[in-house]
Amino acid sequence: MTSTPLVADGDRPREGGADRAVVDVAVGVLIRPDGRFLVTSRPEGKVYAGYWEFPGGKLEAGETVEQALRRELHEELGIAIGAAEPWKVELVDYPHALVRLNFCKVFDWTGELQMREAQSFAWQGLPLDVGPVLPGTVPVLGWLAAERGFEGATFSVA
């Protein structure tokens, strides 16, 4: 994890001041055998509604990242995942919260995708065909690009 957080919308004031607690979030990077990965839109009524991201959600008290990811992907998408491989951690300073994103790669799941929060989904390659992208998603696109030999590729929020 980088020691300096990624600052999203730095021109906007931060809620809660300088001593905000870190919110841990489990994030699933679901990758099909053809290399395409799943992104979902944030539902209406949530911060950054309409922005695209990798699915997941907050850890509840006592949960591990993998337990939270299993629960969240079942609640949001109606799927059961196999192994969740811990991958990267990124700290993101959003105006509404300081968030530690715990990214896991997932290659195995069962069930048909059901958008239980009325969000949209898309299987994507690089570059994405959807947007805007949530700021915390941008580093992941760079990591995926580097793994796939697209060194120097850049991605933006809008």
Side-chain angles (χ1 to χ4, degrees):
M1 178 174 72
T2 58
S3 57
T4 305
L6 169 67
V7 178
D9 295 321
D11 58 332
R12 293 177 43 202
R14 309 286 107 167
E15 293 178 16
D19 60 344
R20 298 183 296 165
V22 173
V23 177
D24 271 294
V25 174
V27 183
V29 181
L30 280 70
I31 303 173
R32 295 191 317 199
D34 66 3
R36 295 178 72 77
F37 48 86
L38 181 71
V39 291
T40 58
S41 64
R42 291 187 56 80
E44 289 302 317
K46 288 197 175 183
V47 178
Y48 290 95
Y51 279 68
W52 291 84
E53 65 179 349
F54 292 94
K58 296 177 192 171
L59 275 68
E60 293 181 354
E63 276 186 322
T64 66
V65 169
E66 185 171 348
Q67 289 168 335
L69 188 59
R70 287 182 187 289
R71 177 184 50 75
E72 286 286 345
L73 294 182
H74 184 263
E75 288 175 1
E76 291 179 14
L77 307 178
I79 61 172
I81 63 170
E85 298 176 14
W87 184 34
K88 306 261 187 180
V89 177
E90 183 76 23
L91 190 61
V92 182
D93 183 358
Y94 285 106
H96 68 285
L98 184 59
V99 181
R100 182 183 300 117
L101 300 171
N102 298 275
F103 294 99
C104 297
K105 287 184 177 178
V106 179
F107 297 97
D108 178 40
W109 58 90
T110 57
E112 294 295 319
L113 292 175
Q114 304 167 34
M115 299 297 108
R116 294 180 168 175
E117 296 183 345
Q119 71 273 47
S120 297
F121 77 94
W123 290 101
Q124 296 287 290
L126 296 170
L128 296 184
D129 296 326
V130 297
V133 175
L134 195 66
T137 297
V138 173
V140 183
L141 301 175
W143 301 331
L144 288 169
E147 285 185 356
R148 296 169 184 203
F150 301 123
E151 291 295 334
T154 59
F155 301 92
S156 63
V157 173

